[in-house]
Amino acid sequence: MQIKTVLVGFVLLYSLTSTGQVVVLSTEQTKVLYAGFENKISIAVPGYSCDDFKVEAAHCSIKGEGCSYLITPGTVSPLLFIIRLKRGNEIIDTVTVPVRHIPEPRVKIAEGWDNNGAILKDAPVMVGDDGSNLEGFFRIMDFEVTMLRGDSIIYQHKTTGAHFDAATKTMIESAQAGDKLFLEEIHVMAPDGKRRLFNNIAYVFK
């Protein structure tokens, strides 16, 4: 039976020639795991259903079963995942995934390190200072948007949610060269459940 799964984000493919199996492991956020945080992963093994196998790994907390898990690594050492058959306990395959400390988060609205490129489709987004996707760890709660044309405010709006809403996207699409876009009062929910206030962002349309 072939397993069909929707894999979000980066997909890591591993195989062992000794078994001929290919385990598909996907992480929702990045192609690494972060120590001290719950990382969402999905595992699929062609020819097996989610109920056929189990996952083991040392030095981490594992929650879940079948194809979906929350993995919390205790150290930054690479994790060796062992995928076994529930019946008979035979090893199907092994997968090693790197573990790192979570990078310092940043808010991005446009391409380029300084937010000076094209506006991102799903802006604003949370990324690490190494460019990694941190959307699954840090969640934007609300922010204020202001657009200026010359010295006049042409749009001002408070957004509740993680990304630009329809009205803001419409204004961005109608922006002229020289218009200025400001994001202020950016509140983000951190993995520890505390709200954090991030720096303001200024963007000039070209």
Side-chain angles (χ1 to χ4, degrees):
M1 174 178 170
Q2 195 81 4
I3 300 177
K4 209 170 173 187
T5 58
V6 177
L7 305 181
V8 181
F10 293 89
V11 177
L12 307 179
L13 299 180
Y14 300 83
S15 67
L16 282 182
T17 55
S18 58
T19 62
Q21 300 295 333
V22 178
V23 169
V24 180
L25 185 150
S26 69
T27 63
E28 190 169 284
Q29 296 86 13
T30 72
K31 53 185 177 182
V32 303
L33 301 178
Y34 292 121
F37 294 90
E38 286 190 338
N39 300 259
K40 296 179 181 179
I41 72 167
S42 298
I43 294 178
V45 184
Y48 296 90
S49 73
C50 293
D51 293 330
D52 287 338
F53 59 85
K54 59 184 178 180
V55 176
E56 301 172 356
H59 311 299
C60 70
S61 165
I62 301 178
K63 298 178 183 177
E65 59 183 359
C67 291
S68 300
Y69 296 87
L70 290 174
I71 308 295
T72 306
T75 69
V76 292
S77 300
L79 281 183
L80 174 67
F81 291 97
I82 301 173
I83 295 86
R84 295 180 182 271
L85 284 175
K86 287 183 179 178
R87 183 175 298 178
N89 216 34
E90 176 188 349
I91 295 178
I92 303 173
D93 209 343
T94 61
V95 177
T96 301
V97 182
V99 179
R100 299 177 184 167
H101 291 299
I102 200 163
E104 186 63 26
R106 303 173 67 243
V107 178
K108 277 182 65 69
I109 65 169
E111 295 177 355
W113 177 256
D114 295 322
N115 283 307
N116 56 5
I119 295 285
L120 297 172
K121 179 180 179 181
D122 295 322
V125 295
M126 297 299 303
V127 300
D129 57 11
D130 60 354
S132 55
N133 176 10
L134 298 183
E135 292 278 284
F137 298 100
F138 294 87
R139 183 162 55 96
I140 298 174
M141 304 299 292
D142 52 70
F143 54 93
E144 295 181 5
V145 178
T146 302
M147 286 184 65
L148 297 181
R149 181 164 294 160
D151 295 327
S152 301
I153 296 176
I154 60 173
Y155 181 75
Q156 199 162 37
H157 179 61
K158 180 171 182 178
T159 299
T160 300
H163 308 294
F164 291 142
D165 58 17
T168 301
K169 288 180 178 179
T170 298
M171 286 301 301
I172 290 174
E173 290 171 358
S174 66
Q176 301 176 9
D179 288 352
K180 297 176 182 177
L181 172 68
F182 297 92
L183 257 69
E184 302 171 297
E185 296 295 319
I186 307 170
H187 293 98
V188 175
M189 185 67 71
D192 60 5
K194 296 180 180 179
R195 288 171 68 97
R196 293 175 56 176
L197 179 64
F198 277 67
N199 293 337
N200 299 338
I201 297 174
Y203 179 85
V204 179
F205 290 91
K206 299 177 177 62

